[in-house]
Amino acid sequence: MTTSSAELLPDDIPDDPAPSATLDLEQRHHQIFPTLSAADIRRMQRFGHVQHFDDGQMIFEAGKTSFGLMLVLKGGIDVSRYDGLGNTAYVTTHQPGQFSGEVAQLSGRPALGNGRARGEVEVLVVPSEALRQLLVAHAELGERIVRALILRRVGLIEQASSGPVIVGPRGHGRIHALQTFLQANGHPHIVLDPEHDQQAAGLMARYQPAPDELPLVVCPDGEVRKNPSVVDIGRCLGMLPALDSDKVWDVIVVGAGPAGLATAVYAASEGLSVLALETRAYGGQAGASARIENYLGFPTGVSGRALAGRAYVQAQKFGVEIAIPAPAGRLICDTYPLQVELCGSLQRLRAKTVVLSCGARYRRPSLANLKQFEGKGVYYWASPVEAKLCKTEEIILVGGGNSAGQAAVFLSGYARKVHMLIRKDSLASTMSSYLIERIQATPNIELHTCAEIVALEGDDDGLKQVRVRDVRAGEERDYDVCRVFLFIGAEPNTSWLSDCGVDVDGNGFIRTGFDVLKAQCKANFANGVYPRDLPSRAALETSVPGVFAIGDVRASSTKRVAAAVGEGAAVVSQIHQFLANLPPDTPR
């Protein structure tokens, strides 16, 4: 089972989300495995140290070795893919002037392949931190290196022969949850059905998992875990690194959607230490957009995942520490530095400033057995994983916003028919006109106005039938549909901020800048208090000094990707101003 590689593509590779889109890696061999010149090697030497290996010696191992980049000076490195089950596949031999590594090495994560010495080998080892310094110091050389690292990750994803192995029966809900988590984070993986794969059957026979212990997951280092959580997977792959509770970050960004990634990139590029915490996957809700056609600079459109994926690599290039999945559970602001407590743990992380770009949570309709079918017929996003599940089927998609429209058009390329349900009598007030026109021009999309789902029916294997009511006529109809996609909006993810007293409006969105001052004035006047002076407040600063809010979670924000990116960039100058105005005796 392959995953989409579009989110990691460099800018000069077409971003085509069509089902047949693949990357011609053979034509890009010279970019994937470039040979550096003597001048390039001289530039790199001050960033690393020389190390020697004997013929046949293992230089790095999948899931175990974190090495940065290794530039071959003498001999060669035989590189092979490895899947944790002991299966290997030869990839290439790095010759003098060539280097090992892929995207994981930008952030010091473990290797996804094995490397063995061919002959007496001498390499220049460039650790991850030094590698990031090299990329910034030598832009042209850095561009070639980053391109090679990205394309190698693309190859691993498309060939699906490395990374964690997920073992379980086809259609299992937990398999879908883990698979979408990995796919959303651009991580290669393999899914094996024990009914059709001998190794998978042998693994099941050996570990004999109970039904609630499925699926089995084999980590790249060979460790087998029973029904792991996404947190377990994140730790197993190095996506969720050990975080130092004693370190004081300049900025902790909560949420790695477009707004949060923009803050991370701009802040880190200007020398601030940045930690980004993300609950599920980088890109936020924008990552579910199959194609954004009104984002400046992309005349043919760009998928939300492609846009976010490029920003994610860019953030790593500048040294941003990104932890996934790492949901924030509590903000503590009665002490300084500020503290963010991780959900499900007592660990507290400290920061001089906190940027809230935590976006929103998917809204769920009030259906009695909805949770039973989540991941087994009911989905809140439309990635290539879900699209392949509904190939040649009739499906139902609920929602009338732009995300719903993009998803409907995307899924229409796979499904036999898309029934699109909206509660209003038209799309005009909720969707961009270009999307409305595209939906009208797509023959296998049928729009049902004034319609809603009233019941879901199925069994342990998944959804089987959906009952839809025509609100105007009061009539109900059953559809033999196994896939329902819900795009009915979202609610601000702000309930975890209550202990800190961050001011929110009546809908739960965070007030900033003038809106904070206006709310304070209104409260003061209601209590008969008429202060002469009000404290100054930066445009994106919340009611709590040093805490900023950007993107969809901010009250009065424009709920558009471009606006979120703009706010993410703009907040960095306000962070600098806040840090510069701290009293000299402020605890650091």
Side-chain angles (χ1 to χ4, degrees), residues 244-286:
D244 185 359
S245 296
D246 294 327
K247 179 173 181 176
V248 179
W249 301 85
D250 291 325
V251 189
I252 288 181
V253 181
V254 182
L261 286 172
T263 296
V265 167
Y266 281 94
S269 69
E270 295 178 12
L272 299 179
S273 60
V274 183
L275 169 64
L277 305 175
E278 171 55 45
T279 299
R280 179 181 175 270
Y282 60 80
Q285 292 205 52

Side-chain angles (χ1 to χ4, degrees), residues 196-382:
H196 301 97
D197 185 271
Q198 188 174 356
Q199 273 193 309
L203 205 65
M204 294 284 283
R206 177 181 175 185
Y207 287 92
Q208 298 184 347
D212 61 353
E213 293 178 325
L214 288 174
L216 299 178
V217 174
V218 186
C219 294
D221 63 1
E223 181 184 356
V224 178
R225 304 191 181 192
K226 296 180 178 180
N227 190 18
S229 66
V230 291
V231 171
D232 295 330
I233 294 295
R235 290 190 178 126
C236 142
L237 300 177
M239 296 168 57
L240 183 56
L243 299 172
D244 185 359
S245 296
D246 294 327
K247 179 173 181 176
V248 179
W249 301 85
D250 291 325
V251 189
I252 288 181
V253 181
V254 182
L261 286 172
T263 296
V265 167
Y266 281 94
S269 69
E270 295 178 12
L272 299 179
S273 60
V274 183
L275 169 64
L277 305 175
E278 171 55 45
T279 299
R280 179 181 175 270
Y282 60 80
Q285 292 205 52
S289 296
R291 186 178 287 272
I292 303 170
E293 297 197 55
N294 56 359
Y295 191 86
L296 186 67
F298 292 89
T300 60
V302 60
S303 74
R305 286 175 41 72
L307 189 68
R310 291 164 180 166
Y312 175 69
V313 173
Q314 194 174 19
Q316 291 179 87
K317 169 185 171 181
F318 287 114
V320 177
E321 184 78 82
I322 304 177
I324 305 174
R330 187 180 171 209
L331 178 61
I332 302 164
C333 49
D334 54 0
T335 61
Y336 195 83
L338 302 162
Q339 297 181 46
V340 176
E341 184 175 284
L342 294 181
C343 188
S345 115
L346 297 178
Q347 184 179 17
R348 294 182 178 181
L349 305 170
R350 304 195 296 164
K352 300 173 187 176
T353 62
V354 172
V355 175
L356 304 174
S357 58
C358 39
R361 293 170 295 197
Y362 296 108
R363 187 173 290 135
R364 289 165 164 80
S366 299
L367 294 170
N369 53 355
L370 176 66
K371 191 170 182 60
Q372 175 187 349
F373 300 117
E374 289 181 334
K376 295 197 295 182
V378 174
Y379 311 98
Y380 297 93
W381 50 84

Side-chain angles (χ1 to χ4, degrees), residues 334-534:
D334 54 0
T335 61
Y336 195 83
L338 302 162
Q339 297 181 46
V340 176
E341 184 175 284
L342 294 181
C343 188
S345 115
L346 297 178
Q347 184 179 17
R348 294 182 178 181
L349 305 170
R350 304 195 296 164
K352 300 173 187 176
T353 62
V354 172
V355 175
L356 304 174
S357 58
C358 39
R361 293 170 295 197
Y362 296 108
R363 187 173 290 135
R364 289 165 164 80
S366 299
L367 294 170
N369 53 355
L370 176 66
K371 191 170 182 60
Q372 175 187 349
F373 300 117
E374 289 181 334
K376 295 197 295 182
V378 174
Y379 311 98
Y380 297 93
W381 50 84
S383 76
V385 173
E386 290 77 31
K388 290 174 183 177
L389 292 175
C390 62
K391 193 170 185 180
T392 72
E393 296 182 2
E394 288 197 16
I395 65 172
I396 287 177
L397 185 144
V398 183
N402 279 351
S403 294
Q406 291 159 354
V409 172
F410 171 61
L411 291 171
S412 69
Y414 295 82
R416 184 170 72 252
K417 187 170 186 178
V418 178
H419 296 277
M420 190 172 184
L421 276 56
I422 63 172
R423 301 189 69 175
K424 294 188 175 185
D425 57 6
S426 79
L427 293 168
S429 64
T430 57
M431 188 179 293
S432 298
S433 58
Y434 78 90
L435 273 174
I436 296 175
E437 293 171 3
R438 185 160 298 162
I439 288 170
Q440 291 171 342
T442 305
N444 62 334
I445 299 178
E446 181 179 350
L447 179 64
H448 301 261
T449 59
C450 301
E452 62 181 4
I453 293 177
V454 292
L456 303 172
E457 300 294 339
D459 52 31
D460 291 341
D461 292 331
L463 183 67
K464 304 296 182 185
Q465 193 175 74
V466 179
R467 182 167 299 164
V468 176
R469 175 188 295 147
D470 183 324
V471 178
R472 288 170 299 191
E475 299 175 350
E476 295 184 355
R477 176 183 171 185
D478 290 335
Y479 289 83
D480 293 328
V481 165
C482 299
R483 315 286 173 192
V484 170
F485 294 83
L486 299 176
F487 287 81
I488 57 175
E491 300 168 341
N493 182 23
T494 54
S495 59
W496 62 282
L497 299 171
S498 57
D499 288 347
C500 188
V502 173
D503 188 26
V504 298
D505 66 13
N507 294 316
F509 292 94
I510 301 172
R511 291 190 176 107
T512 58
F514 180 73
D515 286 342
V516 171
L517 300 179
K518 186 167 63 173
Q520 289 177 344
C521 287
K522 186 175 181 180
N524 287 333
F525 294 160
N527 295 322
V529 178
Y530 305 94
R532 291 185 176 182
D533 298 306
L534 287 171

